[in-house]
Each structure stands twice: as structure tokens, then as C-alpha cells.
């Protein structure tokens, strides 16, 4: 089990994964502005998603064997973990459907957007995932102070992401002529970012709740399912953006 | 005052509330528009809401159902008023629409209404407490009498019955709608749904279209709820669980089906919609505002379905009894698993497709508008990605019921258990790859036709496995034919007819001729009746004693069966015949020169006979709850664990956990056992 390991080692692993993700994002951008290979971009996105799913979302915990008797806390947490992942599976079909709509309507074109801002919000969300992972790891080791600090940072970065997308990118896109009713690129852009922003918002609310209860001292290193759920959900939202970012900003030429 | 029977009191309240609402609606319409039309929408809206609320109030006081509905109405009005005021402040035109509020106001209001229902019925209260850091007790005690079925209960058996009751109610409403437009079709020309006919601000033709469209979707929702009802009641019992994995989520899922049904029916009052249940744009992009209520209703019901199936999967994976390995799970559990995998994932896509049309109407986002870079065919892909697998959601549990009951009534092991178990998953997985066979004539790329034709024909393989198993199971068995078995056999025959008429539709060259004819209507009514309705009735007759401790009347059950089956077969054969002769789907009128009048008339008569048989069922059902013959023991002489303990089932299921020690269907093999209760003293029933 991860929480039996050394906390510092897990923190170091988190940093390594974050560096990998950051480098891959940079590579993604480089590929897009130079030889623009869609295959490359898809492979990079898949690698990033796999890193997030394995190291941040601990997908392998679904396969945990030593959970104890059916009535025990460990077994029940396992059931809830399965429930959460089933929910994420279901939810990913919405995002998959939006990607299908994007490919069907826009093909090898994309809306005209602010590249710098796109890279910036992607970085912000990535960083928030990093701090979320630190917060969850801290809670697993009973370090409440570090948990609260890191989760607060995650929450602030999440809000910053929302400000970047909804508060800055949307008005800028409208100003540049990419409007909800101006044609397929605008419709797709607003629906995809809107649905994603809705999920970020629910994630922020979830983090608020976890922070509030964490401050009351309701979580221990043994019992903190809500923290784990909030973290996995938060990483899922990041994972969706790993695919949405290239789909909206990098692939194809400007429509 | 003498105490009135609660049901009578509910009906009385409904009458008074409905009339008061009607009068109030007339006054409001008079004040708003200067004229009061008794056949208009506004009085009907008020009559419907106040009547429904008063009914539940009369039934059980200000309980969750009545409170939720009141909150939904108030929430809808508040939301709509909010948007209206906002539009007024922002200086937009179109402050009001043809149904009092503008379309965005209605949509926002309906959303707020659903959330208000959730708040008002207090189905999410425990989660709210958890969010505030307050822990809640594991299980609240339910009231001992029937009132628990009108309250928020966490017991999977109560929830299963709640699902079933809502499903039966919607079945009755959807069936009534079908009878109305079937009557209009009895003869060519328009008889009573004419252009002069006026109801809810629609003329007869519009009413025909709305009823025809709503019939489809109400039946689909009814089937989804019926499937959930049987799965909720039976699956935890079969696998030896105390309850579902997530009891609160379970209660939430059943209760949000109520505002969903309210929204669906409200669409009829807001101009209806004329798209058929599929809601294809561009037609749905310019239908009356009723279509938005339809979209939101389906959306909400979809969440009920998704969350319910999530729960079923988690329950099956995590809460099985000791010794119940995958190859010892009852077939119905396998089928529930397969069905839940589809409902969990694919349902999101119908939600998305409807959501995109909703936003196309609200914000002018041109997803499906070819003049704005959109593509109407994209809608059909997204829509059918759910709506084709959805039919497997309907039939897989039904086919599971057939496989579950057949060995009990022929006293023989189920033939080819492992193949039958895997065939459900096979149908579910192949079912994900066949959706575009609905679109052979839609103008999608032609090279897609042949692959989808072959993938569709492939579904016949796992389905054939099931038929082979059923026939081989019946072979040389000692067949008993109580009512549940009659419905099982009827289901097999009717589903066979539905199955055999499928491949012609799947074949591109034939489908180009059959598409949008009544042949298709005949085909899918056969599959859904054979795959769902017959097994659903079989399940109700079969598990009724488990839930109530009494059994339903056999004579009435047989009348139900022998009235319904021939009438239904006649109806669908008629549909296929007129389809082949050129009768198109969905239309209110047809040319007398087609020579179909006689067939149509006879089909209408058959339709009324089916309705009569269902009335017999309802009478039998409600009468048997209190007056049925007592049946506390193993009525059907089954091996299944739920029948080895007395009926009705106690609140937390098995007092003593059982262990699986053998194969589930080894009927007739001496000395074989399926389950063993852990303690020495068996709680076996006598």
C-alpha cells in the first residue's frame, strides 16, 4: 500500500511525474508549431494521460487485494473507489462524444485562440494536479497541515484556471469572432470548454468541502476517503484537459 | 370524521386540487392574455400540477412525493420568473413566449424545478450532511405499513417496488396515448384528431404527433424503470447481499425519475413536439418549446438510469456471497451486469445529443445546422450510439428472467450455462458496434453501410445461443405452466418473431425499402414485448409472493395471458403486413386507396384487447396485495436462495448468510445443492 511507503519518496515521485508532464506539454507545443504531426500529438496525450492515471489517480488501487472482511472500512472504501471509477468511466463518454463532435465538424481545422493563454491555463491545471497529489499524500501520512496547505493551493489554481478560460479566453474569443452562434468552430469551442469548466467548478466545490472538513479534523491517515475521491476527481478533470488542449489549440490549421 | 381510505382520499384530493388548478389557470390566462380558453395550455398546466400534488398529499400527507412536487412547481416558476426579469433588465426582446414564458425561461425554470424537487423531497439530505461533516446513521427504519413506498427508503426491496410502480404508471399512460392515436388510425381520413380539434393550444394533428412521440419515450422510460425495478429487487437477493452497494444513491436514482416523468408529460402541455421519440434535428430545432421539456425529462431520467446501473455493477462486483464465483452467478445477475455496462456508459451520448440540440435552440450554436457549419447526421450518430444499445438494456434483463425461470418450471438444468452467461455480455459488446444500421437512408457515408450490416447480423449469434439453450432446456423437461411460465413461453415465441424480422431490416438492400414503414414498428414491438414486457410480467407474477407473502390469482393471470398474447400477435402481424404494403410510420392518416382500412380497424380492436388484458392484470395485482392467497413458502419449488427463506422478505434480507456450494440450475439432479446457510438450523420455509 502506498501509505506504508516513505512520504518523502512519494513526494519525490510526484515531482518527477510533474517534470515529465511539463516536458511532454512543452514537447507537444513544439510539435504543434513545427511539424504538426497529429499522430505525435495523440501519442503524447496518451502518455500524459497514462502518467496521470497511474501515478496521480492510482488506478492500480482498484486491484487491491488485502482489503479485509466485507464489513471492514478497507473493503467499503474499495467499493466506493469502484463506484467513483465507474462514474468517471461514464463521464468520460460525454467528453468522448464532444471529441467526436469536434472531429466530425472541424476535422483538421481549429478555432483561432490565444496560444499563450492556452499554454498558461494548461500549465496551471497541471500544477494544480501536482499540489493535489502532494495534499493527498500528506493526508495519507496524517500530515494535516501540509494537506490543508497543498489543497488550498490546488483550489486557488483551479479558480485561476476558470478565470483564465471563462474570464479571459471566452471574451477574447468572442472579440476575435469565435462566437457561440458564429459557426461550428465557435459552437464546439464553447461547448467543450464550457462542459470542462462545469466539471472544474464541481471539483472546486468538492475541494472546498474537503478543506472545510479537513480543518475540522475529520480525516485521519486511515480514514480519508473523501480526500482521495476529491483528488481522483480533480486529476480526472486534468486528464480530460490533456485531450481537450491539443484538440482545441494544437491540431490542424486555423478555420 | 370517519377515516377515509387513503387511496380514495388521494383521488378525492386530486379531483378537488385539479379543478381548483384548472380554475386558477383560467383566471391567470384571462389576466395575462385577455381570453380564457378551457382547452388551452395554462389551465391544463395548473390542473395537472395541483392535481398531482393534491393526490400525493391526500395519500400520505406532506411526504417526500407531495413536498418534492410542490417544490418542483415553485422552483420552476421561480427559475422562469428569474430569467424573465433578467431579460427585462437586459432589455432583450421576446420577454414572453407563446406559453407565458419565453423558451430560455422555461428551460432554466425546468432545471431549477428538478433541483428543487431534489431539495424538497430531501433525497440528497444525507450527502448534504456529509458535506458539512455530520455523520448519519447507517439505515433509517422504514414505517411498517405501505406508506414506506411513498417515502425515501434506503431498502433495495422498497426501492425496487417504487421503481416498478412508477414503471407501471408510465406504462399505463404511454399505453393510453397509444390507444388514442390507434383509434384515429382505425380508418383512413381524419376522424377526431382533425384540424378543428383543439387541446392545449394544439390542433388534432399536432396532438397526434405529440402523443405518438411521447408514447415512444414514455414507454422507453417505463421500461428502463421496470428493468431497474426488477434488478433492484432481485439482484441483491440472488447474490446474498444485505442491500445495494450505495443505498442513498439508489434512493436518489429512483426519486429523480419522478421529476423526469413530470417534465416529459409537461411537454404535452407546452405545445408538444412533432419529431417522434428520436428528436432528430432539424425538425427538433424548430419544434415547439415542448421539446425542451422532453429533452430535459429524458436527461433527468438518463441520470436515474446511469446512477442505478453504476450501483448494480458495484453491488455485483463487491457484495456477492461466499463461494459465488463468476461461473456460479445466476444468469439474471450476468444479464443485469451486461445491461448495466451499457446503461452506465452509452446513456451519456443520448444526453449529449439532446443537450447539443438544446443549446442550438437556446444560443444558436450550429452543431446540427448545415447553414452554420453543422452536420445533422452527427446528431444521429450520437443519438443511436445510445439508442440502439438501449434496446439491449431493455431486453437483456428480460432474457435473463427467461433463463432464470425456465429451469424452475421444466425441472431440468439450464442447458449450456456458461454460454448463456457469456452471451449476455456478447450481445452487450456487439451492441456497441451496430448503431448506424438506423441510418442506412440518412445520407451518411455509403462505405459505412456494409460493416454496420455485418456487425448487426452478428448480434444474431449470441442471441441464437440463448434460443438454443432455451429449446434444449425445455426438451424432455417436466413442464409446469403456472402464469409466470406462460409468460416465459410467450416471451420466447414473441421474441423469436422479433428476432427473425430483424435481419431483413439489417440487410441494406432490404432496409432501403423497409425503412420508416410499419414493418419496423411491428419488428420492434415484437422484440420489446418478447424481450421485456412478457418477461416483466413473468417476473412480477413470479416474485410477487416474495414481496407480499401472497400470490396473484392464477385464473386472472391466465385470462391476462390468453387475452394479451393472441391480440398482440395479431397487432404486430398487422403492423408488418401494412408496412410491407406501403404504410409509413408516424403519420396520422393514409390513403384509402391503399386498401389498409380493414387491417387497421382489426389492429385497433386488438390494441383495445391488450389494454383490457392489462386492466385485468392491474386488478389482479392490486387485489392480490391484500386479498391474494397466502404464500409464505417456496411457491415455485425453486433452488434459488431467496425462496429458501419465508416470504415476505425481512428488511435486511438473510438473517443468516449463505454460502454457494454448487451449481445454480441443477434441477432434477439428486443430492445437488446450490446454497447452504451457515448455521445448522436451516431457516427453510415450509
Amino acid at each position: 500500500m502506498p501509505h506504508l511507503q516513505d512520504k518523502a519518496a512519494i513526494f519525490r515521485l510526484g515531482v518527477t511525474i510533474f517534470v515529465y508532464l511539463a516536458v511532454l506539454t512543452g514537447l507537444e507545443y513544439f510539435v504543434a508549431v513545427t511539424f504538426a504531426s497529429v499522430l505525435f500529438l495523440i501519442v503524447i496525450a496518451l502518455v500524459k494521460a497514462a502518467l496521470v492515471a497511474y501515478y496521480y489517480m492510482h488506478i492500480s488501487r482498484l486491484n487491491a487485494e488485502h482489503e479485509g472482511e466485507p464489513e471492514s472500512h478497507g473493503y467499503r472504501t474499495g467499493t466506493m473507489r469502484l463506484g467513483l471509477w465507474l462514474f468517471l468511466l461514464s463521464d468520460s463518454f460525454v467528453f468522448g462524444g464532444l471529441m467526436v463532435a469536434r472531429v466530425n465538424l472541424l476535422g483538421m481545422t481549429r478555432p483561432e485562440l490565444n496560444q499563450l493563454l492556452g499554454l498558461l491555463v494548461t500549465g496551471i491545471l497541471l500544477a494544480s494536479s501536482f499540489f493535489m497529489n502532494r495534499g493527498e499524500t500528506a493526508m495519507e501520512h496524517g500530515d494535516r497541515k501540509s494537506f490543508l496547505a497543498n489543497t488550498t493551493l490546488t483550489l486557488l489554481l483551479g479558480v485561476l484556471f476558470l478565470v483564465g478560460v471563462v474570464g479571459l479566453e471566452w471574451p477574447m474569443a468572442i472579440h476575435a469572432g469565435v462566437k457561440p452562434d458564429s459557426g461550428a468552430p465557435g459552437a464546439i469551442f464553447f461547448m467543450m470548454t464550457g462542459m470542462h469548466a462545469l466539471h472544474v467548478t464541481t471539483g472546486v466545490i468538492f475541494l472546498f468541502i474537503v478543506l472545510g472538513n479537513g480543518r475540522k479534523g475529520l480525516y485521519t491517515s486511515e480514514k480519508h476517503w473523501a480526500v482521495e475521491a476529491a483528488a481522483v476527481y480533480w486529476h480526472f478533470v486534468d486528464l480530460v484537459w490533456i485531450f481537450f488542449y491539443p484538440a482545441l489549440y494544437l491540431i490542424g490549421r486555423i478555420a | 370524521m370517519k377515516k377515509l381510505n387513503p387511496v380514495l382520499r388521494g383521488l378525492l384530493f386530486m379531483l378537488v386540487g385539479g379543478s381548483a388548478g384548472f380554475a386558477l389557470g383560467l383566471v391567470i390566462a384571462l389576466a395575462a392574455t385577455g381570453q380564457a380558453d378551457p382547452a388551452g395550455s395554462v389551465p391544463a398546466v395548473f390542473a395537472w400540477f395541483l392535481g398531482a400534488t393534491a393526490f400525493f398529499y391526500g395519500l400520505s400527507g406532506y411526504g417526500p412525493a407531495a413536498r418534492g412536487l410542490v417544490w418542483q412547481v415553485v422552483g420552476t416558476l421561480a427559475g422562469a420568473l428569474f430569467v424573465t426579469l433578467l431579460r427585462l433588465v437586459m432589455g432583450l426582446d421576446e420577454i414572453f413566449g407563446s406559453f407565458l414564458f419565453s423558451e430560455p425561461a422555461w428551460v432554466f425554470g425546468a432545471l431549477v424545478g428538478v433541483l428543487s424537487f431534489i431539495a424538497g423531497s430531501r433525497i440528497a439530505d444525507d450527502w448534504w450532511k456529509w458535506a458539512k461533516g455530520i455523520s448519519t446513521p447507517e439505515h433509517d427504519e422504514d414505517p411498517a405499513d405501505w406508506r414506506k413506498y411513498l417515502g425515501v427508503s434506503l431498502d433495495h426491496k422498497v426501492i425496487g417496488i417504487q421503481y416498478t410502480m412508477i414503471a407501471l404508471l408510465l406504462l399505463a399512460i404511454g399505453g393510453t396515448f397509444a390507444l388514442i392515436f390507434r383509434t384515429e388510425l382505425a380508418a383512413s381520413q381524419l376522424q377526431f384528431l382533425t384540424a378543428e380539434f383543439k387541446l392545449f393550444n394544439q390542433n388534432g394533428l399536432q396532438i397526434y404527433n405529440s402523443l405518438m412521440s411521447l408514447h415512444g419515450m414514455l414507454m422507453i422510460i417505463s421500461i428502463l424503470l421496470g428493468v431497474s425495478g426488477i434488478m433492484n429487487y432481485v439482484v441483491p437477493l440472488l447474490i446474498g447481499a444485505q442491500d445495494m452497494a450505495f443505498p442513498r444513491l439508489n434512493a436518489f436514482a429512483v426519486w429523480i425519475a419522478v421529476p423526469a416523468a413530470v417534465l416529459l408529460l409537461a411537454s404535452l402541455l407546452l405545445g408538444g413536439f412533432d419529431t417522434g421519440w428520436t428528436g432528430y434535428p432539424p425538425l427538433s430545432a424548430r419544434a415547439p418549446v415542448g421539446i425542451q421539456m422532453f429533452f430535459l425529462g429524458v436527461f433527468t431520467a438518463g441520470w436515474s438510469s446511469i446512477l442505478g446501473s453504476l450501483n448494480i455493477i458495484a453491488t455485483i462486483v463487491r457484495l456477492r456471497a461466499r463461494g459465488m464465483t463468476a461461473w456460479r452467478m445466476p444468469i439474471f445477475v450476468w444479464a443485469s451486469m451486461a445491461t448495466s455496462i451499457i446503461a452506465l456508459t452509452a446513456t451519456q451520448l443520448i444526453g449529449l445529443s439532446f443537450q447539443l440540440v438544446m443549446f442550438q435552440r437556446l444560443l444558436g450554436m450550429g452543431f446540427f445546422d448545415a447553414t452554420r457549419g453543422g452536420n445533422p447526421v452527427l446528431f444521429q450518430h450520437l443519438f443511436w450510439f445510445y439508442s440502439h444499445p438501449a434496446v439491449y438494456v431493455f431486453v437483456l434483463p428480460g432474457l435473463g428472467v427467461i433463463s432464470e425461470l425456465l429451469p424452475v418450471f421444466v425441472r431440468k438444468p439450464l442447458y449450456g450455462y456458461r454460454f448463456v452467461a457469456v452471451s449476455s455480455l456478447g450481445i452487450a459488446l456487439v451492441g456497441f458496434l451496430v448503431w448506424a444500421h438506423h441510418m442506412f437512408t440518412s445520407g451518411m457515408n455509403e462505405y459505412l453501410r456494409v460493416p454496420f450490416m455485418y456487425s448487426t447480423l452478428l448480434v444474431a449469434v449470441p442471441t441464437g445461443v440463448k434460443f438454443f439453450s432455451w429449446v434444449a432446456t425445455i426438451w424432455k423437461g417436466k413442464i409446469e405452466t403456472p402464469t409466470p411460465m406462460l409468460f416465459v413461453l410467450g416471451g420466447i415465441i414473441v421474441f423469436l418473431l422479433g428476432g427473425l424480422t430483424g435481419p431483413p431490416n439489417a440487410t441494406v438492400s432490404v432496409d432501403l425499402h423497409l425503412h420508416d414503414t410499419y414493418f419496423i414498428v411491428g419488428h420492434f414491438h415484437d422484440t420489446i414485448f418478447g424481450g421485456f414486457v412478457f418477461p416483466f410480467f413473468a417476473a412480477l407474477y413470479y416474485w410477487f409472493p416474495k414481496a407480499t407473502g401472497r400470490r396473484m390469482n392464477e385464473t386472472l393471470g391466465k385470462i391476462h395471458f390468453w387475452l394479451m398474447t393472441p391480440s398482440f400477435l395479431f397487432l404486430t402481424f398487422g403492423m408488418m403486413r401494412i408496412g410491407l404494403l406501403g404504410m409509413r410510420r408516424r403519420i396520422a392518416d393514409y390513403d384509402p386507396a391503399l386498401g389498409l382500412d380493414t387491417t387497421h380497424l382489426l389492429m385497433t380492436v386488438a390494441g383495445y384487447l391488450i389494454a383490457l388484458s392489462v386492466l385485468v392484470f392491474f386488478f389482479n395485482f392490486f387485489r392480490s396485495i391484500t386479498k391474494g392467497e397466502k404464500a409464505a413458502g417456496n411457491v415455485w419449488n425453486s433452488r434459488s436462495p431467496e425462496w429458501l427463506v419465508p416470504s415476505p422478505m425481512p428488511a435486511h434480507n438473510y438473517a443468516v448468510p449463505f454460502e454457494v456450494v454448487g451449481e445454480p440450475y441443477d434441477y432434477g439432479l439428486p443430492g445437488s445443492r446450490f446454497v447452504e446457510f451457515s448455521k445448522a438450523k436451516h431457516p427453510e420455509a415450509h
Side-chain angles (χ1 to χ4, degrees):
Chain A
M1 292 294 279
H3 61 261
L4 297 179
Q5 285 176 21
D6 179 19
K7 187 169 81 176
I10 302 179
F11 273 179
R12 273 200 302 279
L13 183 66
V15 174
T16 316
I17 300 304
F18 177 69
V19 171
Y20 284 162
L21 289 170
V23 168
L24 282 169
T25 308
L27 185 65
E28 207 168 35
Y29 190 76
F30 175 75
V31 170
V33 295
T34 51
F35 57 99
S37 158
V38 176
L39 183 69
F40 243 79
L41 291 174
I42 291 174
V43 170
I44 293 174
L46 286 175
V47 172
K48 281 170 72 177
L51 286 173
V52 169
Y54 191 82
Y55 288 104
Y56 283 172
M57 297 170 80
H58 344 280
I59 190 169
S60 54
R61 280 189 198 173
L62 279 176
N63 201 23
E65 277 168 12
H66 307 292
E67 288 172 333
E69 289 296 304
E71 287 300 309
S72 69
H73 176 75
Y75 194 84
R76 291 160 79 132
T77 306
T79 305
M80 292 198 269
R81 199 175 281 138
L82 174 67
L84 176 65
W85 274 93
L86 288 174
F87 174 77
L88 299 183
L89 175 70
S90 177
D91 215 7
S92 61
F93 272 70
V94 183
F95 294 114
L98 283 168
M99 286 292 265
V100 168
R102 183 247 175 265
V103 172
N104 183 282
L105 294 185
L106 303 188
M108 285 305 287
T109 62
R110 58 181 161 85
E112 185 174 3
L113 302 166
N114 188 322
Q115 285 294 338
L116 191 66
L117 191 56
L119 199 59
L120 196 67
V121 293
T122 306
I124 288 173
L125 205 56
L126 210 62
S128 80
S129 257
F130 168 72
F131 288 113
M132 187 72 252
N133 181 253
R134 272 179 101 83
E136 193 204 350
T137 309
M139 197 64 246
E140 266 169 9
H141 292 85
D143 183 352
R144 197 158 69 97
K145 218 171 132 193
S146 163
F147 155 70
L148 290 176
N150 279 300
T151 311
T152 311
L153 259 177
T154 311
L155 197 151
L156 290 177
L157 287 170
V159 173
L160 206 58
F161 175 85
L162 284 175
V163 169
V165 172
V166 180
L168 295 175
E169 185 73 285
W170 280 17
M172 279 159 75
I174 289 173
H175 190 70
V178 182
K179 298 174 193 162
D181 57 354
S182 68
I188 288 288
F189 168 72
F190 280 97
M191 188 51 77
M192 283 173 78
T193 50
M195 281 301 275
H196 184 260
L198 181 70
H199 283 75
V200 176
T201 311
T202 50
V204 166
I205 293 170
F206 210 170
L207 288 180
F208 253 118
I209 293 170
V210 167
L211 264 181
N213 286 339
R215 225 174 256 124
K216 288 181 201 159
L218 293 181
Y219 305 126
T220 62
S221 61
E222 294 299 318
K223 294 190 179 185
H224 58 272
W225 162 245
V227 177
E228 185 185 330
V232 171
Y233 182 77
W234 189 259
H235 295 309
F236 172 72
V237 173
D238 184 23
L239 190 141
V240 170
W241 190 252
I242 284 176
F243 292 98
F244 274 24
Y245 170 61
L248 287 173
Y249 285 85
L250 302 182
I251 285 178
R253 63 200 150 69
I254 288 169
Chain B
M1 202 178 96
K2 232 183 93 182
K3 249 203 160 174
L4 212 57
N5 179 319
V7 180
L8 277 180
R9 194 173 56 209
L11 292 173
L12 193 71
F13 273 54
M14 178 166 76
L15 210 65
V16 175
S19 317
F22 192 75
L24 185 64
L26 274 180
V27 171
I28 288 179
L30 192 66
T33 60
Q35 53 180 5
D37 178 12
S41 281
V42 179
V45 172
F46 279 89
W48 150 230
F49 278 124
L50 278 180
T53 312
F55 173 72
F56 284 109
Y57 185 79
L59 213 54
S60 68
Y62 199 51
R67 198 167 51 224
L69 283 174
V70 170
W71 281 53
Q72 186 178 7
V73 176
V74 174
T76 307
L77 288 177
L81 278 174
F82 174 74
V83 172
T84 308
L85 283 177
L86 206 64
R87 289 172 79 86
L88 205 63
V89 171
M90 288 165 72
L92 298 170
D93 33 286
E94 286 178 50
I95 304 295
F96 292 101
S98 38
F99 300 98
L100 210 57
F101 296 119
S102 61
E103 182 165 331
W106 271 118
V107 172
F108 187 74
L111 263 178
V112 176
V114 172
L115 296 176
S116 307
F117 182 95
I118 294 170
S121 56
R122 299 185 190 153
I123 47 181
D125 271 20
D126 278 3
W127 294 333
W128 181 240
K129 281 181 191 156
W130 293 356
K132 289 193 291 191
I134 305 164
S135 57
T136 54
E138 197 60 24
H139 257 295
D140 294 332
E141 283 303 315
D142 288 328
D145 64 352
W146 57 276
R147 257 163 254 264
K148 66 183 169 204
Y149 297 111
L150 286 165
V152 179
S153 169
L154 301 183
D155 183 350
H156 76 96
K157 297 186 290 301
V158 175
I159 290 172
I161 289 167
Q162 288 172 334
Y163 266 123
T164 309
M165 297 314 283
I166 305 175
L168 287 173
L169 180 69
L170 290 184
L171 186 85
I173 299 174
T176 310
F177 286 0
L179 279 186
I180 295 172
F181 64 79
R182 189 68 247 166
T183 308
E184 174 53 57
L185 285 167
S188 51
Q189 313 291 351
L190 294 174
Q191 277 78 36
F192 71 103
L193 294 179
T194 56
E196 288 75 44
F197 181 92
K198 285 276 185 290
L199 188 65
F200 310 147
N201 297 10
Q202 299 170 66
N203 67 29
L205 291 160
Q206 290 167 315
I207 284 284
Y208 179 95
N209 287 339
S210 302
L211 291 180
M212 173 272 296
S213 309
L214 262 181
H215 165 71
M217 194 45 94
L218 278 179
M219 284 308 193
I220 287 168
I221 305 291
S222 161
I223 292 169
L224 287 173
L225 297 174
V227 162
S228 294
I230 302 293
M231 291 199 304
N232 253 291
Y233 194 89
V234 174
V235 166
L237 295 184
L238 287 182
I239 64 173
Q242 282 193 348
D243 205 323
M244 299 280 277
F246 308 112
R248 285 169 192 80
L249 192 68
N250 210 15
F252 184 82
V254 69
W255 278 100
I256 55 169
V258 175
V262 169
L263 281 180
L264 274 177
L265 290 172
S267 71
L268 190 59
L269 306 176
L270 296 181
F273 57 106
D274 48 7
T275 62
W277 74 277
T278 52
Y280 277 10
L283 199 51
S284 59
R286 48 174 185 252
V289 66
I291 192 127
Q292 296 279 28
M293 300 299 115
F294 165 77
F295 286 156
L296 285 166
V298 174
F299 206 84
T300 314
W303 273 107
S304 164
S305 185
I306 289 169
L307 298 175
S309 50
L310 187 158
N311 219 337
I312 293 278
I313 297 177
T315 306
I316 296 175
V317 172
R318 302 289 295 182
L319 302 181
R320 293 195 309 276
R322 279 170 72 91
M324 187 174 278
T325 54
W327 294 122
R328 281 177 172 178
M329 286 198 312
I331 294 292
F332 184 74
V333 178
W334 276 96
S336 303
M337 187 74 176
T339 230
S340 299
I341 290 172
I342 304 174
L344 174 75
T345 53
T347 310
Q348 297 281 7
L349 273 289
I350 191 179
L352 180 66
S353 63
F354 282 179
Q355 179 189 338
L356 296 185
V357 183
M358 220 159 86
F359 276 90
Q360 173 165 340
R361 290 177 63 113
L362 288 175
L363 302 178
M365 297 167 109
F367 298 106
F368 309 120
D369 181 352
T371 61
R372 273 188 275 211
N375 177 10
V377 176
L378 171 65
F379 173 88
Q380 300 182 23
H381 280 296
L382 295 175
F383 175 81
W384 287 114
F385 187 81
Y386 167 73
S387 299
H388 188 78
V391 304
Y392 302 122
V393 175
F394 309 157
V395 304
L396 284 177
L399 305 184
V401 167
I402 294 179
S403 296
E404 191 71 35
L405 303 198
L406 207 51
V408 180
F409 293 114
V410 301
R411 314 307 302 167
K412 262 185 66 192
L414 183 73
Y415 186 85
Y417 165 84
R418 289 192 180 199
F419 286 93
V420 180
V422 173
S423 70
S424 293
L425 284 178
I427 293 176
L429 296 181
V430 179
F432 272 105
L433 308 171
V434 303
W435 76 89
H437 66 221
H438 293 270
M439 301 163 58
F440 288 153
T441 64
S442 71
M444 69 170 179
N445 291 325
E446 277 187 27
Y447 61 79
L448 286 174
R449 285 176 175 177
V450 173
F452 276 106
M453 173 174 100
Y454 281 114
S455 63
T456 306
L457 294 174
L458 199 61
V459 178
V461 176
T463 318
V465 167
K466 285 184 187 291
F467 271 101
F468 187 66
S469 153
W470 295 334
V471 174
T473 306
I474 295 173
W475 181 256
K476 288 188 174 176
K478 290 184 198 147
I479 304 176
E480 303 156 6
T481 51
T483 311
M485 179 61 169
L486 285 180
F487 277 95
V488 165
L489 294 174
I492 293 177
I493 290 164
V494 172
F495 192 68
L496 179 67
L497 292 171
L500 290 179
T501 49
N505 304 331
T507 313
V508 177
S509 50
V510 184
D511 184 67
L512 295 181
H513 298 278
L514 293 178
H515 188 87
D516 254 358
T517 67
Y518 248 85
F519 186 85
I520 306 287
V521 181
H523 158 70
F524 71 68
H525 277 87
D526 264 351
T527 56
I528 301 301
F529 259 73
F532 173 76
V533 176
F534 276 83
F536 180 59
F537 282 131
L540 290 181
Y541 282 103
Y542 181 81
W543 277 296
F544 188 88
K546 195 74 254 169
T548 60
R550 292 168 187 276
R551 59 187 290 178
M552 284 166 78
N553 184 294
E554 273 294 305
T555 317
L556 287 175
K558 288 196 166 131
I559 292 176
H560 172 200
F561 177 79
W562 288 112
L563 200 55
M564 184 170 101
T565 312
S567 316
F568 175 75
L569 288 175
F570 188 90
L571 179 69
T572 50
F573 279 136
M575 285 171 171
M576 291 185 212
R577 178 186 137 81
I578 59 173
L580 290 174
L581 293 175
M583 175 76 193
R584 297 189 58 73
R585 282 174 82 167
R586 295 195 174 118
I587 54 174
D589 191 18
Y590 48 94
D591 189 347
L594 281 168
L596 304 176
D597 281 54
T598 317
T599 319
H600 264 302
L601 179 64
L602 291 172
M603 284 162 63
T604 306
V605 173
Y608 274 94
L609 288 178
I610 296 172
L612 185 65
S613 75
V614 176
L615 281 182
V616 171
F617 164 79
F618 274 123
F619 174 75
N620 192 0
F621 188 84
F622 288 109
R623 186 179 166 278
S624 301
I625 293 173
T626 50
K627 300 205 172 71
E629 182 195 331
K630 289 226 173 192
N634 192 346
V635 192
W636 316 109
N637 197 10
S638 164
R639 290 161 59 90
S640 200
E642 82 272 21
W643 290 107
L644 302 181
V645 296
S647 310
M649 205 74 187
H652 295 288
N653 298 351
Y654 302 98
V656 184
F658 64 77
E659 189 174 348
V660 176
V661 295
E663 306 298 320
Y665 299 109
D666 280 349
Y667 286 92
L669 299 189
S672 75
R673 278 206 296 188
F674 175 34
V675 298
E676 200 168 73
F677 287 88
S678 331
K679 297 278 165 56
K681 43 175 183 178
H682 262 229
E684 197 145 6
H686 301 289

